[in-house]
Amino acid sequence: MKSAKELQKELTFSVDHISRTNPEMWAKSQEFCEAYKDFLSVCKTERETVSHIIEMAKANGYTEYNPEKVYTAGDKVYLNNRNRALILSTIGQQAVDNGTHIVASHIDVPRLDLKPNPLYEASEISYLKTHYYGGVKRYQWAVTPLALHGVIYKEDGSFVEINVGEDENDPVFCISDLLPHLGKDQRERKMGDVLKGEEMNVIVGSLPFIDENGEDVKDAVKLATLVYLNEKYGITEKDFLRAEVEVVPAGKARDVGFDRSMVGGYGHDDRVCAYTSLMAELETKNPTKTTVTIFADKEEIGSTGATGLQADYLKNFITNLAMMQGVNYLTALQNSKCLSADVGAAYDPTFADAYEPLNSCYLNKGAVLTKYTGSGGKSGTNDCGAEFMAEMIALFDSKGVCWQSQELGKIDQGGGGTVARFVAECDITTVDIGVAVVSMHAPFEIVSKLDVYATYEAFAAFINR
Ligand code: MN
Ligand code: MN
């Protein structure tokens, strides 16, 4: 007869802290996250992420994909989709009708975008008007240092890149909030309206342009801003209409905690999955199946547009590979498998009411496998079948990958979605997996270093199997 303890061990399931199960991972995860922090600190927009990844890819033997060219096993290519999304691929030994191994993360992050016509002056202060992008708790973005990143095209077709607020000698920018002393009316507002969309105005200057001849001019502070921008970048006010400038939190990613066990920074969702899948992809040599590592745009607003994953560029890429190899592209899609690489909501004991502890993910317990997302009765989800769950669990267990499972918060508390359903709708078997994040979508999000490393190991195990 077995003892109760033996039976409990045999029959129940729980996940322990990685430091207990895999003590050797700590040193590896620390080293891995040094490079990750650098990546996170320089990649603050989807465009910067695309160009940074292309540089890394080129250094690792990738060339720009040409659909007219014939590629053979081991060849590495990149496809730049309009400078805002990217595919990296390593051609497999088997033809693509045997299926490909896809890992799909997203590189857009909640932020404030400049409005098309953003510049104005009020009470001799010049401001840039913004339009928030994605799921933003707006009050979190006021009274904190902000940086401007982006591109501006000019009349002659040339463009300038803007990146101000990151260097310690740079100025930063800021959105104001009302002092508590005068907050009687503001305190009555609902949380979503503590700062309204039209109050997200970024302070960029307060000195007027002084005319040599003492001539008075209307909006002299706005003019001074324009004179500065013209001298520095050669632009005029009209050029904002052909620009994409994002307002993001200024500053670098940092270690968090006395024990430095966590990384805090802007944009873990979802650059933590972008970076971990990138590392797995770059290191892949001669995989059995072709790898397709996607860095998508527009996930935060529903995967729309030509660079979001509702567009056909993933399907088109696999179709082109199939045509090159003379095999059936529909079979290629049908036999492909995808890890939708996106973050999970780490259980936060301070806000325990929002979670269901049995089905939450936790810091330091490994890559988070998410069978389904959605809201209001799983609406809008790709609900991964038991077969693929079984396949991934067997893979991770056999390769010693630390993993856990979650559903996003307790039932009817909210919910969310990922790119999973859009990949799955291409007839591709898909499941969600990623890193647990604390304070998701805030200007400063937190992840655990052990989880980052575990997730990298999960992607490597998947694409190299
Ligand atoms: Mn995400
Ligand atoms: Mn998100």
Side-chain angles (χ1 to χ4, degrees):
M1 193 58 184
K2 284 173 179 163
S3 73
K5 276 219 160 123
E6 282 170 331
L7 282 169
Q8 210 159 39
K9 193 168 177 223
E10 225 175 272
L11 299 179
T12 63
F13 174 70
S14 64
V15 183
D16 206 349
H17 198 295
I18 295 174
S19 287
R20 288 196 199 93
T21 57
N22 297 57
E24 77 292 344
M25 256 178 67
W26 172 236
K28 288 188 221 165
S29 71
Q30 270 184 303
E31 195 193 329
F32 189 85
C33 284
E34 284 307 304
Y36 171 53
K37 280 187 288 179
D38 293 341
F39 177 85
L40 201 60
S41 298
V42 298
C43 296
K44 294 243 177 140
T45 67
E46 55 276 40
R47 283 173 185 274
E48 288 170 349
T49 310
V50 164
S51 60
H52 193 77
I53 293 178
I54 288 176
E55 286 316 305
M56 290 172 80
K58 281 181 178 167
N60 281 275
Y62 289 72
T63 57
E64 184 159 20
Y65 177 64
N66 174 355
E68 307 303 319
K69 222 179 129 183
V70 174
Y71 295 99
T72 55
D75 284 350
K76 286 176 170 279
V77 296
Y78 70 88
L79 184 150
N80 176 354
N81 180 3
R82 299 165 173 86
N83 300 320
R84 302 197 293 195
L86 186 68
I87 293 176
L88 299 190
S89 175
T90 307
I91 306 300
Q93 296 160 38
Q94 297 179 355
V96 291
D97 58 342
N98 290 288
T100 64
H101 284 155
I102 303 164
V103 181
S105 63
H106 67 90
I107 54 175
D108 62 315
V109 176
R111 61 184 186 248
L112 309 174
D113 286 334
L114 290 197
K115 287 196 180 193
N117 189 24
L119 185 63
Y120 72 102
E121 168 177 340
S123 302
E124 299 204 280
I125 300 172
S126 71
Y127 291 94
L128 292 169
K129 288 200 81 65
T130 67
H131 195 139
Y132 69 99
Y133 172 97
V136 169
K137 278 175 147 178
R138 285 186 294 266
Y139 71 84
Q140 295 177 334
W141 292 70
V143 289
T144 188
L146 300 169
L148 295 176
H149 291 239
V151 293
I152 303 182
Y153 277 80
K154 303 192 225 181
E155 194 89 60
D156 64 4
S158 67
F159 70 94
V160 282
E161 280 181 84
I162 291 204
N163 182 332
V164 189
E166 302 296 350
D167 189 283
E168 61 179 341
N169 297 312
D170 279 357
V172 293
F173 308 94
C174 197
I175 292 166
S176 62
D177 194 3
L178 192 59
L179 63 168
H181 317 62
L182 302 181
K184 185 173 87 61
D185 293 342
Q186 191 188 31
R187 275 194 292 276
E188 302 302 314
R189 293 185 184 184
K190 288 224 163 83
M191 197 206 69
D193 283 328
V194 169
L195 285 176
K196 297 176 182 169
E198 294 295 353
E199 293 170 340
M200 304 303 282
N201 304 317
V202 183
I203 297 172
V204 297
S206 68
L207 293 178
F209 183 83
I210 305 290
D211 186 84
E212 280 181 341
N213 306 317
E215 199 184 324
D216 258 356
V217 57
K218 196 176 161 279
D219 289 345
V221 179
K222 172 181 171 178
L223 181 62
T225 301
L226 282 170
V227 168
Y228 173 82
L229 292 173
N230 186 257
E231 281 170 3
K232 174 100 180 170
Y233 302 107
I235 58 168
T236 69
E237 188 173 20
K238 185 179 177 186
D239 294 329
F240 280 118
L241 291 165
R242 36 186 162 231
E244 270 175 27
V245 180
E246 302 179 11
V247 183
V248 298
K252 294 187 163 75
R254 307 278 295 266
D255 284 346
V256 173
F258 289 121
D259 58 9
R260 298 181 177 271
S261 58
M262 297 160 278
V263 177
Y266 166 67
H268 287 309
D269 176 10
D270 187 30
R271 295 192 188 112
V272 69
C273 294
Y275 184 76
T276 45
S277 62
L278 170 65
M279 287 300 111
E281 165 66 42
L282 293 180
E283 287 161 12
T284 297
K285 304 264 183 288
N286 234 355
T288 309
K289 296 195 172 162
T290 296
T291 68
V292 181
T293 306
I294 310 168
F295 307 94
D297 181 28
K298 296 287 181 282
E299 191 280 337
E300 296 294 358
I301 56 167
S303 297
T304 49
T307 50
L309 268 179
Q310 291 204 58
D312 283 341
Y313 61 103
L314 165 64
K315 217 185 325 187
N316 291 348
F317 180 70
I318 293 175
T319 301
N320 269 325
L321 290 181
M323 281 161 54
M324 170 198 83
Q325 294 173 339
V327 298
N328 187 326
Y329 68 90
L330 294 173
T331 315
L333 293 169
Q334 209 163 53
N335 287 335
S336 288
K337 286 173 180 165
C338 174
L339 296 185
S340 162
D342 210 340
V343 295
Y347 183 83
D348 185 341
T350 303
F351 301 100
D353 277 358
Y355 300 84
E356 190 268 278
L358 193 60
N359 288 284
S360 290
C361 60
Y362 296 82
L363 285 185
N364 296 306
K365 292 195 171 181
V368 182
L369 202 52
T370 304
K371 187 178 187 299
Y372 53 83
T373 58
S375 61
K378 295 191 179 182
S379 184
T381 185
N382 158 60
D383 192 345
C384 172
E387 292 81 1
F388 194 44
M389 287 296 284
E391 195 179 324
M392 287 302 95
I393 289 170
L395 172 73
F396 296 151
D397 284 348
S398 72
K399 296 271 174 98
V401 172
C402 298
W403 65 275
Q404 58 181 324
S405 149
Q406 73 145 7
E407 70 172 290
L408 182 58
K410 72 179 184 192
I411 293 174
D412 292 341
Q413 187 67 28
T418 63
V419 301
R421 65 174 285 192
F422 305 116
V423 177
E425 283 163 9
C426 299
D427 202 8
I428 295 170
T429 305
T430 305
V431 71
D432 278 298
I433 184 169
V435 176
V437 174
V438 175
S439 308
M440 195 191 294
H441 283 203
F444 193 79
E445 303 173 314
I446 296 170
V447 297
S448 122
K449 290 182 180 176
L450 287 165
D451 291 337
V452 173
Y453 195 76
T455 304
Y456 153 73
E457 288 194 324
F459 295 143
F462 175 69
I463 67 174
N464 290 310
R465 93 196 141 116

